[in-house]
Amino acid sequence: MTRTNPTAPADHDPVRRIADAVLYEGYLLYPYRAGSPKNRSRWQFGVLGPPLAAPTSFAEDPGMAMECLLSFPPGPPPAGDVTVRLRFLQHQVRQVRRREADGGDLDVAELTVDGVAFLSWDEAVEREVDPGPVPLTGSTDRVCSVPGGEECEPITDARGVIVGQIVRRREPLLARVRTRTAEDDGFLRLSVSVDNEHAMTAADKESAVRASLLGAHLLLRAPHGAEFVSLREPPDAAAAAASRCEQRRCWPVLAGPKGSTDTVLGAPIILYDHPEIAEQSPGALFDSTEIDELLTLRIMTMTDEEKARARATDPRAREIVDRCDAMAPEDLRQLHGLIRSPDTPAACREVPVADRFGRRPETVADGPAGGGAPPGSEAVVIDGVRVARDSLVRVRPARRADAQDLFFAGRVARVTAVLRDVDERTHVALVLVDDPAADLHEWYGRSFYFAPDELEPLPVGGPGRGVPGPSEPKKENPS
């Protein structure tokens, strides 16, 4: 039987904290005002649109699907089922109506009562759907319904006279959740798909959004005795099976404390295994890939009128503005210049940021023995030579990503860091040796980035200037 929880209680489970961050990713965008153009198209991630939407509605794809792997200890298979939770936001129209002299109500964009503004706005309600237990063999196919609804809230003035009302409306939603299991190299491959099966035609963008599942994601919990396998870093025995797992608009990662393997989060954005909320973050800002310090400073610079408009837009916007206004200087300093490396123990995870906008590391926090290396401290082997911080290289641009690269052709540079991105690609950060401002650039973290195959290692004690010598041929522009 399908069960829904229209008002899922908040808890302090770290998995649900991450899931809630995914749920509200992009929910409300700076400057948090209804009149902001980007807030008119703010639903960005995990949107499953209605299947009968007209082309002019610009509706999102109605489905998503993910595959993950389960492993079992030797012996009889574990008893129990996989628990699946589908979570999303249900769109809710908040319409403000003004009471007219004849006693009727008129839809308005804004109503101001005793200096307080009430705005018409699109809200959302949290939904969590349980499609029922998923056995470790076979397949399931279940339809989950979420009812619509309408509530009215009167607006009264200081005398207690009703001068208007707020009407909140939601359309009913229908989602189909399918699961399938198959053996793969000694592992169990579990496939989960979700499809929006809203029956009505959506003619325009507004009606398509109202019939969509917003911020949709999945939470899976393994039965006792079974473990989920990391697809980001699978063990050697599972590498082949992991490579055969297919994802469509939903990417599974291990969730929960480091080392735990009983929970998977299927998110519409790509995350590391065991993602965490930074402890320095005082609260959600919703602005998608948010940078707490930057957004907080921007909110602090808003005028009183702008803040009032933001507070009237959405209760969550009001919380953001009030929280930023109440921040003490030491709270703001906590947000400055820190990153959290996902590959190092928590005790040494925070290191100062070096980036091209002027923040540089004054120190690097050394982790305990056996801990991960801080970002930028790695090395790369080029033509059999180990290249790391302070190595000298000659630049041979080959990728033509930027016209400025051509000015680096043949120049000698000093390595300031070797970095790897989330796709495990290596980037070498450089400053030119003969640049008078090289030290200043490095201090500010303004490095230039090249791939290892664009660099020629120079021997220790070799040339220290960036201009090719008379006998050295200048590299022609790459074709």
Side-chain angles (χ1 to χ4, degrees):
M1 182 177 66
T2 298
R3 295 180 295 277
T4 65
N5 183 0
T7 56
D11 57 49
H12 299 288
D13 179 354
V15 174
R16 288 190 176 271
R17 291 188 66 203
I18 293 295
D20 286 345
V22 171
L23 185 67
Y24 284 99
E25 182 81 355
Y27 169 79
L28 192 61
L29 308 176
Y30 174 86
Y32 306 114
R33 298 193 301 272
S36 173
K38 63 181 181 179
N39 270 323
R40 297 169 193 162
S41 300
R42 70 190 199 272
W43 315 106
Q44 302 178 49
F45 301 100
V47 178
L48 307 186
L52 301 180
T56 53
S57 70
F58 300 100
E60 297 276 0
D61 188 299
M64 68 179 189
M66 55 158 274
E67 292 187 330
C68 56
L69 295 178
L70 284 155
S71 67
F72 308 96
D81 304 304
V82 177
T83 300
V84 175
R85 296 287 189 273
L86 169 63
R87 305 177 79 239
F88 57 91
L89 295 174
Q90 182 181 20
H91 183 275
Q92 178 171 268
V93 175
R94 185 182 76 204
Q95 179 63 57
V96 175
R97 292 177 173 175
R98 184 180 63 219
R99 180 63 52 89
E100 300 292 276
D102 61 3
D105 292 313
L106 177 68
D107 289 353
V108 293
E110 179 178 350
L111 176 63
T112 301
V113 180
D114 298 328
V116 178
F118 297 87
L119 303 180
S120 294
W121 177 247
D122 287 346
E123 302 174 327
V125 179
E126 294 181 23
R127 299 301 188 200
E128 181 171 311
V129 173
D130 174 8
V134 175
L136 296 177
T137 58
S139 60
T140 67
D141 186 340
R142 296 168 179 136
V143 175
C144 308
S145 60
V146 177
E150 179 173 312
E151 293 94 30
C152 296
E153 174 189 345
I155 301 175
T156 58
D157 61 17
R159 299 170 298 165
V161 176
I162 295 178
V163 294
Q165 62 177 335
I166 299 173
V167 180
R168 292 178 170 88
R169 294 190 305 272
R170 300 174 302 279
E171 287 198 21
L173 300 175
L174 205 63
R176 183 179 294 273
V177 181
R178 298 182 178 94
T179 68
R180 186 180 68 256
T181 57
E183 190 277 335
D184 192 336
D185 268 357
F187 298 89
L188 184 73
R189 185 170 69 247
L190 171 62
S191 305
V192 184
S193 67
V194 180
D195 291 283
N196 184 349
E197 296 205 344
H198 189 77
M200 303 299 291
T201 300
D204 52 33
K205 184 175 181 179
E206 289 72 20
S207 58
V209 170
R210 289 195 292 269
S212 295
L213 280 63
L214 308 171
H217 61 279
L218 292 161
L219 279 178
L220 280 61
R221 196 173 295 274
H224 180 72
E227 296 182 337
F228 286 109
V229 176
S230 169
L231 298 187
R232 183 176 181 268
E233 297 182 73
D236 292 342
S243 69
R244 290 188 284 271
C245 289
E246 297 183 355
Q247 320 302 341
R248 179 167 64 94
R249 305 180 72 214
C250 186
W251 289 269
V253 294
L254 296 178
K258 293 279 186 180
S260 62
T261 55
D262 63 342
T263 303
V264 154
L265 168 64
I269 55 178
I270 298 175
L271 301 169
Y272 288 100
D273 282 337
H274 305 291
E276 297 175 284
I277 301 294
E279 62 186 40
Q280 291 81 11
S281 177
L285 293 167
F286 304 125
D287 196 77
S288 97
T289 61
E290 60 195 43
I291 303 174
D292 286 37
E293 181 186 28
L294 179 61
L295 285 174
T296 300
L297 290 172
R298 284 182 170 179
I299 293 164
M300 288 179 170
T301 62
M302 292 166 64
T303 66
D304 290 342
E305 181 181 356
E306 290 171 332
K307 290 179 180 179
R309 301 293 296 179
R311 287 186 174 100
T313 293
D314 191 279
R316 293 180 177 88
R318 184 186 309 117
E319 292 174 7
I320 291 172
V321 174
D322 291 345
R323 183 176 68 240
C324 291
D325 278 353
M327 286 186 71
E330 56 269 21
D331 297 327
L332 188 59
R333 280 195 294 270
Q334 292 248 25
L335 304 179
H336 179 65
L338 293 177
I339 65 172
R340 291 168 61 85
S341 171
D343 298 320
T344 56
C348 61
R349 193 169 296 144
E350 295 171 7
V351 296
V353 173
D355 66 18
R356 60 193 177 96
F357 297 106
R359 295 180 289 271
R360 75 172 295 273
E362 299 293 344
T363 60
V364 173
D366 293 324
S377 66
E378 296 91 344
V380 63
V381 176
I382 304 175
D383 296 334
V385 179
R386 182 180 185 275
V387 172
R389 181 178 173 84
D390 292 329
S391 296
L392 293 180
V393 295
R394 192 176 299 277
V395 185
R396 306 294 191 190
R399 306 200 176 188
R400 304 192 69 171
D402 192 321
Q404 187 177 16
D405 291 353
L406 302 181
F407 293 100
F408 284 70
R411 307 282 290 276
V412 173
R414 180 169 55 82
V415 175
T416 60
V418 176
L419 304 164
R420 288 178 176 83
D421 62 21
V422 295
D423 295 319
E424 299 300 328
R425 293 174 298 193
T426 300
H427 308 268
V428 182
L430 310 171
V431 292
L432 293 178
V433 169
D434 64 350
D435 185 344
D439 290 341
L440 185 61
H441 289 324
E442 185 180 2
W443 191 92
Y444 276 112
R446 291 176 179 146
S447 298
F448 299 92
Y449 297 87
F450 289 86
D453 60 10
E454 297 180 290
L455 305 176
E456 172 192 338
L458 296 177
V460 177
R465 304 299 296 172
V467 181
S471 61
E472 297 181 7
K474 293 186 178 181
K475 181 178 177 66
E476 295 182 357
N477 294 351
S479 57

